[in-house]
Amino acid sequence: MEISIQNLTKVYGDYTAVNIPELLIHSGESFGLVGNNGAGKTTLFRAVIDLLEPNTGCVYIDGNATNATEQWKSFTGSYLDENFLVGHLLPEEYFDFVGAIHGIGDADIKAKIEMLEPLFNGEVLGGKKLIRDLSKGNQKKVGIAAALLFDPKVLILDEPFANLDPSTQIRLKELLKMLKHDRGVTMLISSHDISHVTEVCERIVLLEKGNMVKDISTSSETLKDLEKYFAGAGVAESAE
Amino acid sequence: MILTFVYLAGSLLVLGIFLDDILINIPIDGIDFNTYGRSFVLRRLDQFLIYYFFFDFIIRYFMQKLPAMSVQPYLHLPINRSSLVHFMLLKSIWSPFNLIHFLIFIPFMFELFENLDFMQAFGWSTGFTLLVFASNYFLLFIKRTSDVDARVYVGMLASLISIIALDWFDVLDFQALSGLMFNALFLHPWTLVVPLFLIGVTYGLNFKFLKANMYLSKLSKVKKNAVSYSGNGVLSRFGLVGRLTELEFKFIWRNKRSKSVFMMTFLFLGYGLFIFPNPEYAGNYLMYVLFSIVITGMFMMNYGQYLLGWEGSYFDHVLTRNVSFKDYYMSKFLLFAIVGGGSMILSIPYAYFGWEVLIALFCVFLFNMGVSSHMVMFFGSMNPKKIDLSQTTVFNWQGVGAAQFLMVIPVLVLPLAIFGLGYLIWGDMGGILFLGAVGLLSLAGTKYWISLLAKWLTDQRYNISNDFRNQ
C-alpha cells in the first residue's frame, strides 16, 4: 500500500505551510518525517488523511485519493492528537468501538488488546478513568493502540514518542519494527526526537518551512548528519 | 447570544424604571397605596428587601460560579500572594449576579436622589450597594467552604429551613424587621457602618480562607468519578448505526451538560398536567398539537441544536474513522427516534383526557421524525461551536448562535402551519391527521434526506474540523 503525494501545497495567507511537488512512500516502507516546529509536519499529516483541504494537489493511499474516497479509512490507522480520542469512553470501550467499526468481533478485540498490553505498561487498562481524565502520556498510548487495533496496512503517527514513558518508548519502537518486518505495514511517522526516528525508519525526509530539504536512506551516519543539520539550523536561526 | 443578553438586560431595566409605579399600584390586603403618596414607595420596598436578598442568596448558591482564576501560572512569579487573593476577590464583583441588581435599582436610586434629601438617598443607595457586595462575598465564602466541609452545607441548609419556618409560622415578623433595617439606612445614614462591617467581615473571611488554601493540591481539587466498564447494550444488535447511537447515549449520560438536557426532557413529560385538567383547553386541538410537539420534540430540539458541537472535541476521530457520514446521521436519527418515541410512550396515560391526545401524539411524532428531525440535524450542523462539556445547562449560552434560533421554525412553526392548513380544509381531526400524513410521506424519504445531509457534511468537513481545532 503505497502513499503518493502529488503537487501538494497548503498556504495560509502568504505563508506556505506545505509545498511538496512529489513524494512517493513505497509499500511496506517505514518513513520518518523530521523538522523543527512550524516545518509543516502536522499540516502534511492532516492533508494526507483528509483533515484539511490543500490549496493544490492530492494524496493517494493505495491509489485512492483520500479526499474523494473512503476505502482507505478501512486499512489506515492514524493518531495525530487528542482530537482522535472519544473522551467520554473508558479505554476498553473505545477499543470495542473502534473494533466494531472495523467489523472485529469482541473476542478478537480482547486478544488484540492483550497483544498490545506491553505498550500500556500496566496503566490504562482496568482503571475506572475515562480517556479524558487520563494523563497525556496514557492518552497517547490509547490513541496509538486504537490505530493499531485493526491490523492496518498503513500507519500514520504524529510524534508517537513524545510524552511516553521510557519503557513504552522502547516497546513501541520494537512493535513498529516488528510491524514493518512481519506485516509489511507502510508507516508514516514524525518525531522531534531524531534518534527514535533513525532507529525505526528506513527512510527519512527532512522538512523545513514546508519544503523537503533532505531525503535520506537511513544508515549508520544518518543520526550524525541530522544532528549536524539541526545544530546548524539552530545556530542560523539564533543569528537571524 | 448578544440579542438574548440585550433582551434580558432590557427587561430588567424596564422593571427598574417602573418599579415605583408597580409597588404603589399593587394593592395588598385591599389597601390602595396610592392614597399614601409616593414617599411611601421606599418604605414599602424596604419591607420586602429581606426576602429579596434571601432569594438572591438561594439563586446565587445554585447558579453563581466561583470565579475561575487559575492561580497556578502566577504562583511561581514574584507576585505577592496577598495581591493575588485581592485580585481574585475583586474580580468576583464583575459577576452578572451582582450587576443584575443594579439594572433594576439604579433607575430607582435616581428617583431617590430626586425625591429625598441627598444624605437620605445616599445612605440608602450606598447601603444597598454594599449589601449586594457583602452578599456576594458571603456566598463565595459559603460555597468555597461547603465544597470542602460538609458541615457548612448542613449548617446552611438548617438555617435556611429555620428561617423559612420562622416566617411561615409567623414567629418573627420579617416584613417589619426588613422595614426597620432598611428604613434605618435612609432615616439614619450613620447606620451605613453596618453594611460596611458586613462587607469587611465577609471579604476578610474569603481572604483568610483563600490565602491559607492557595496551594496547588487544594485548589486543583477536581472530582473525577470512577466509571465502570459497560459492555455492548441492546443497541449494538442494530449494527454499526446502533453502536454509534449507543456511543451517543454514553455521551449523554457521562457529560454534565448533555445529561441535564436529557433530564429536562423527562421533566417536561409532566407538562400535560398543567394543560389537560384545565376545562378551558378541553377539545382544543391546537393545544394537543403544541403539547405533542413539546413531548416528542423537546429532546430533539435541545440536543440536536448542538448536533456536531457536542462532538467537537473528537471531530478528527469522526472524520478519519471508517464510518460513512450517512451512518453517522442515521445514528443521530435513531437517537431522536428512541428518545422521542420513548417520551411518546411514557405519555400514553394522558389518553385519560381523551383519545384524541394519543392521535395527536402519534401524528406529531411522525411529523417530527419525518420532517423536523432532518431540519434540526441540518441546523445543528451549521457553523457548530465546540461545547464545553463540563458546564451545566443553567444559564449557559455557549454554542448558541443564529442557527439555534432558526431551529424554532422546523420544530414549532412548521407543524403548526401544516396543522393549520389541514384544519382549514378538514377541521380539527383532519388537521392532525394531515400533519401525520405529511410526516409519514417524508419519513419514506428518510434515506434521501440523510444522504443530502451526508453530502453537505462532506462539503463542509474541512471548515468544521478547522473551526473545532481553533476553538
Side-chain angles (χ1 to χ4, degrees), chain B residues 7-40:
Chain B
Y7 170 74
L8 282 176
S11 305
L12 289 173
L13 203 64
V14 169
L15 173 66
I17 290 169
F18 293 107
L19 186 63
D20 50 343
D21 291 320
I22 294 169
L23 281 171
I24 209 164
N25 282 316
I26 296 176
I28 293 174
D29 299 334
I31 306 165
D32 181 3
F33 295 107
N34 273 302
T35 56
Y36 284 72
R38 299 192 76 80
S39 64
F40 181 75

Short mmCIF file of all heavy atoms in Angstrom, two decimals, chain B residues 7-40:
data_model
loop_
_atom_site.label_atom_id
_atom_site.label_comp_id
_atom_site.label_asym_id
_atom_site.label_seq_id
_atom_site.Cartn_x
_atom_site.Cartn_y
_atom_site.Cartn_z
N TYR B 7 -31.87 41.55 25.49
CA TYR B 7 -33.27 41.39 25.85
C TYR B 7 -33.43 41.28 27.38
O TYR B 7 -34.24 41.96 27.99
CB TYR B 7 -33.85 40.16 25.16
CG TYR B 7 -35.21 39.80 25.68
CD1 TYR B 7 -36.32 40.55 25.33
CD2 TYR B 7 -35.38 38.72 26.55
CE1 TYR B 7 -37.57 40.25 25.81
CE2 TYR B 7 -36.63 38.40 27.04
CZ TYR B 7 -37.73 39.16 26.68
OH TYR B 7 -38.95 38.86 27.17
N LEU B 8 -32.61 40.40 27.97
CA LEU B 8 -32.72 40.19 29.42
C LEU B 8 -32.40 41.48 30.18
O LEU B 8 -33.13 41.90 31.07
CB LEU B 8 -31.75 39.09 29.86
CG LEU B 8 -32.21 37.66 29.57
CD1 LEU B 8 -31.14 36.67 29.97
CD2 LEU B 8 -33.50 37.36 30.33
N ALA B 9 -31.30 42.12 29.76
CA ALA B 9 -30.90 43.35 30.44
C ALA B 9 -31.97 44.42 30.26
O ALA B 9 -32.32 45.13 31.22
CB ALA B 9 -29.57 43.84 29.86
N GLY B 10 -32.53 44.51 29.06
CA GLY B 10 -33.58 45.50 28.79
C GLY B 10 -34.80 45.27 29.67
O GLY B 10 -35.35 46.21 30.25
N SER B 11 -35.19 44.00 29.80
CA SER B 11 -36.36 43.69 30.62
C SER B 11 -36.15 44.14 32.06
O SER B 11 -37.03 44.74 32.68
CB SER B 11 -36.63 42.18 30.62
OG SER B 11 -36.74 41.73 29.31
N LEU B 12 -34.95 43.85 32.58
CA LEU B 12 -34.67 44.21 33.96
C LEU B 12 -34.66 45.73 34.13
O LEU B 12 -35.16 46.26 35.12
CB LEU B 12 -33.32 43.62 34.40
CG LEU B 12 -33.34 42.11 34.57
CD1 LEU B 12 -31.94 41.59 34.84
CD2 LEU B 12 -34.26 41.74 35.73
N LEU B 13 -34.10 46.40 33.13
CA LEU B 13 -34.03 47.85 33.19
C LEU B 13 -35.43 48.46 33.21
O LEU B 13 -35.72 49.38 33.99
CB LEU B 13 -33.24 48.36 31.98
CG LEU B 13 -32.60 49.74 32.13
CD1 LEU B 13 -31.55 49.70 33.22
CD2 LEU B 13 -31.96 50.16 30.81
N VAL B 14 -36.30 47.92 32.36
CA VAL B 14 -37.67 48.40 32.32
C VAL B 14 -38.35 48.15 33.67
O VAL B 14 -39.03 49.02 34.22
CB VAL B 14 -38.44 47.73 31.18
CG1 VAL B 14 -39.93 48.02 31.29
CG2 VAL B 14 -37.91 48.21 29.84
N LEU B 15 -38.10 46.97 34.22
CA LEU B 15 -38.64 46.67 35.54
C LEU B 15 -38.18 47.72 36.55
O LEU B 15 -38.95 48.21 37.37
CB LEU B 15 -38.19 45.26 35.99
CG LEU B 15 -38.55 44.88 37.42
CD1 LEU B 15 -40.06 44.76 37.57
CD2 LEU B 15 -37.87 43.59 37.84
N GLY B 16 -36.89 48.06 36.46
CA GLY B 16 -36.33 49.04 37.38
C GLY B 16 -37.00 50.40 37.23
O GLY B 16 -37.35 51.04 38.22
N ILE B 17 -37.22 50.81 35.98
CA ILE B 17 -37.78 52.14 35.74
C ILE B 17 -39.20 52.23 36.30
O ILE B 17 -39.60 53.25 36.85
CB ILE B 17 -37.73 52.45 34.24
CG1 ILE B 17 -36.27 52.65 33.82
CG2 ILE B 17 -38.54 53.70 33.91
CD1 ILE B 17 -36.07 52.71 32.32
N PHE B 18 -39.95 51.14 36.18
CA PHE B 18 -41.34 51.20 36.62
C PHE B 18 -41.55 50.62 38.01
O PHE B 18 -42.69 50.45 38.45
CB PHE B 18 -42.24 50.49 35.61
CG PHE B 18 -42.29 51.21 34.30
CD1 PHE B 18 -41.64 50.72 33.19
CD2 PHE B 18 -42.96 52.43 34.21
CE1 PHE B 18 -41.68 51.41 31.98
CE2 PHE B 18 -43.00 53.12 33.00
CZ PHE B 18 -42.35 52.61 31.89
N LEU B 19 -40.42 50.30 38.68
CA LEU B 19 -40.55 49.63 39.97
C LEU B 19 -41.43 50.42 40.94
O LEU B 19 -42.29 49.85 41.62
CB LEU B 19 -39.15 49.42 40.56
CG LEU B 19 -39.10 48.60 41.84
CD1 LEU B 19 -39.60 47.19 41.55
CD2 LEU B 19 -37.69 48.54 42.39
N ASP B 20 -41.24 51.72 40.98
CA ASP B 20 -42.01 52.50 41.95
C ASP B 20 -43.51 52.49 41.62
O ASP B 20 -44.34 52.36 42.51
CB ASP B 20 -41.48 53.93 42.04
CG ASP B 20 -41.31 54.58 40.68
OD1 ASP B 20 -41.30 53.84 39.69
OD2 ASP B 20 -41.19 55.81 40.62
N ASP B 21 -43.81 52.59 40.32
CA ASP B 21 -45.22 52.53 39.94
C ASP B 21 -45.84 51.19 40.29
O ASP B 21 -46.97 51.10 40.75
CB ASP B 21 -45.36 52.77 38.44
CG ASP B 21 -45.03 54.22 38.08
OD1 ASP B 21 -45.43 55.11 38.86
OD2 ASP B 21 -44.35 54.43 37.07
N ILE B 22 -45.04 50.14 40.04
CA ILE B 22 -45.56 48.81 40.32
C ILE B 22 -45.85 48.68 41.82
O ILE B 22 -46.91 48.22 42.23
CB ILE B 22 -44.54 47.73 39.87
CG1 ILE B 22 -44.40 47.76 38.35
CG2 ILE B 22 -44.99 46.35 40.32
CD1 ILE B 22 -43.26 46.94 37.82
N LEU B 23 -44.86 49.09 42.62
CA LEU B 23 -45.00 48.92 44.06
C LEU B 23 -46.23 49.65 44.60
O LEU B 23 -46.92 49.16 45.49
CB LEU B 23 -43.75 49.43 44.77
CG LEU B 23 -42.57 48.48 44.75
CD1 LEU B 23 -41.32 49.17 45.27
CD2 LEU B 23 -42.87 47.24 45.58
N ILE B 24 -46.47 50.82 44.06
CA ILE B 24 -47.55 51.62 44.63
C ILE B 24 -48.92 51.20 44.12
O ILE B 24 -49.94 51.38 44.78
CB ILE B 24 -47.29 53.12 44.35
CG1 ILE B 24 -47.92 53.95 45.47
CG2 ILE B 24 -47.78 53.53 43.00
CD1 ILE B 24 -47.41 55.35 45.51
N ASN B 25 -48.94 50.58 42.94
CA ASN B 25 -50.23 50.24 42.34
C ASN B 25 -50.73 48.85 42.67
O ASN B 25 -51.84 48.49 42.31
CB ASN B 25 -50.18 50.42 40.83
CG ASN B 25 -50.29 51.90 40.46
OD1 ASN B 25 -51.11 52.62 41.02
ND2 ASN B 25 -49.45 52.35 39.55
N ILE B 26 -49.87 48.04 43.32
CA ILE B 26 -50.36 46.71 43.70
C ILE B 26 -50.98 46.81 45.08
O ILE B 26 -50.28 47.03 46.07
CB ILE B 26 -49.22 45.68 43.70
CG1 ILE B 26 -48.68 45.53 42.28
CG2 ILE B 26 -49.70 44.34 44.23
CD1 ILE B 26 -47.49 44.61 42.19
N PRO B 27 -52.28 46.67 45.17
CA PRO B 27 -52.91 46.75 46.48
C PRO B 27 -52.69 45.45 47.25
O PRO B 27 -52.72 44.37 46.69
CB PRO B 27 -54.39 46.94 46.16
CG PRO B 27 -54.56 46.43 44.77
CD PRO B 27 -53.22 46.38 44.10
N ILE B 28 -52.38 45.58 48.52
CA ILE B 28 -52.23 44.40 49.36
C ILE B 28 -53.25 44.51 50.49
O ILE B 28 -53.42 45.59 51.07
CB ILE B 28 -50.80 44.29 49.92
CG1 ILE B 28 -49.84 44.01 48.76
CG2 ILE B 28 -50.70 43.19 50.96
CD1 ILE B 28 -48.40 44.02 49.15
N ASP B 29 -53.92 43.41 50.78
CA ASP B 29 -54.98 43.41 51.78
C ASP B 29 -56.03 44.49 51.48
O ASP B 29 -56.61 45.09 52.40
CB ASP B 29 -54.43 43.63 53.20
CG ASP B 29 -53.46 42.52 53.58
OD1 ASP B 29 -53.62 41.41 53.02
OD2 ASP B 29 -52.57 42.76 54.41
N GLY B 30 -56.23 44.78 50.21
CA GLY B 30 -57.28 45.71 49.83
C GLY B 30 -56.95 47.17 50.07
O GLY B 30 -57.78 48.05 49.85
N ILE B 31 -55.71 47.44 50.51
CA ILE B 31 -55.36 48.84 50.74
C ILE B 31 -54.78 49.43 49.46
O ILE B 31 -53.87 48.86 48.86
CB ILE B 31 -54.32 48.97 51.88
CG1 ILE B 31 -54.83 48.26 53.12
CG2 ILE B 31 -54.01 50.43 52.16
CD1 ILE B 31 -53.75 48.01 54.14
N ASP B 32 -55.32 50.55 49.04
CA ASP B 32 -54.79 51.21 47.85
C ASP B 32 -53.69 52.17 48.29
O ASP B 32 -53.95 53.18 48.93
CB ASP B 32 -55.90 51.97 47.13
CG ASP B 32 -55.39 52.65 45.87
OD1 ASP B 32 -54.19 52.46 45.57
OD2 ASP B 32 -56.17 53.35 45.23
N PHE B 33 -52.46 51.83 47.96
CA PHE B 33 -51.33 52.60 48.47
C PHE B 33 -51.17 53.96 47.81
O PHE B 33 -50.40 54.78 48.26
CB PHE B 33 -50.04 51.79 48.35
CG PHE B 33 -50.07 50.58 49.22
CD1 PHE B 33 -50.22 49.31 48.67
CD2 PHE B 33 -49.99 50.71 50.60
CE1 PHE B 33 -50.27 48.21 49.49
CE2 PHE B 33 -50.04 49.59 51.41
CZ PHE B 33 -50.19 48.33 50.85
N ASN B 34 -51.92 54.16 46.70
CA ASN B 34 -51.83 55.46 46.05
C ASN B 34 -52.18 56.61 47.00
O ASN B 34 -51.67 57.70 46.88
CB ASN B 34 -52.76 55.50 44.84
CG ASN B 34 -52.06 54.96 43.60
OD1 ASN B 34 -51.02 55.48 43.20
ND2 ASN B 34 -52.61 53.91 43.03
N THR B 35 -53.08 56.30 47.95
CA THR B 35 -53.51 57.36 48.87
C THR B 35 -52.41 57.76 49.84
O THR B 35 -52.46 58.80 50.46
CB THR B 35 -54.74 56.89 49.67
OG1 THR B 35 -54.38 55.68 50.34
CG2 THR B 35 -55.92 56.64 48.77
N TYR B 36 -51.39 56.91 49.96
CA TYR B 36 -50.32 57.20 50.92
C TYR B 36 -49.29 58.18 50.35
O TYR B 36 -48.42 58.64 51.07
CB TYR B 36 -49.59 55.93 51.34
CG TYR B 36 -50.37 55.10 52.33
CD1 TYR B 36 -51.49 54.40 51.94
CD2 TYR B 36 -49.96 55.03 53.66
CE1 TYR B 36 -52.19 53.63 52.83
CE2 TYR B 36 -50.67 54.26 54.57
CZ TYR B 36 -51.79 53.56 54.15
OH TYR B 36 -52.47 52.81 55.04
N GLY B 37 -49.33 58.39 49.04
CA GLY B 37 -48.34 59.29 48.44
C GLY B 37 -47.08 58.55 48.08
O GLY B 37 -46.83 57.43 48.54
N ARG B 38 -46.25 59.14 47.23
CA ARG B 38 -45.13 58.43 46.64
C ARG B 38 -43.98 58.18 47.62
O ARG B 38 -43.17 57.29 47.41
CB ARG B 38 -44.62 59.19 45.42
CG ARG B 38 -45.69 59.32 44.33
CD ARG B 38 -45.13 59.81 43.03
NE ARG B 38 -44.39 58.77 42.30
CZ ARG B 38 -44.98 57.83 41.58
NH1 ARG B 38 -46.28 57.77 41.48
NH2 ARG B 38 -44.26 56.94 40.94
N SER B 39 -43.91 58.97 48.67
CA SER B 39 -42.81 58.74 49.61
C SER B 39 -42.95 57.39 50.30
O SER B 39 -42.01 56.88 50.90
CB SER B 39 -42.81 59.85 50.67
OG SER B 39 -44.00 59.76 51.42
N PHE B 40 -44.13 56.82 50.15
CA PHE B 40 -44.37 55.54 50.79
C PHE B 40 -43.64 54.40 50.09
O PHE B 40 -43.36 53.37 50.68
CB PHE B 40 -45.87 55.27 50.80
CG PHE B 40 -46.23 53.99 51.47
CD1 PHE B 40 -46.19 53.89 52.86
CD2 PHE B 40 -46.60 52.88 50.72
CE1 PHE B 40 -46.52 52.70 53.47
CE2 PHE B 40 -46.92 51.70 51.34
CZ PHE B 40 -46.89 51.61 52.71
#
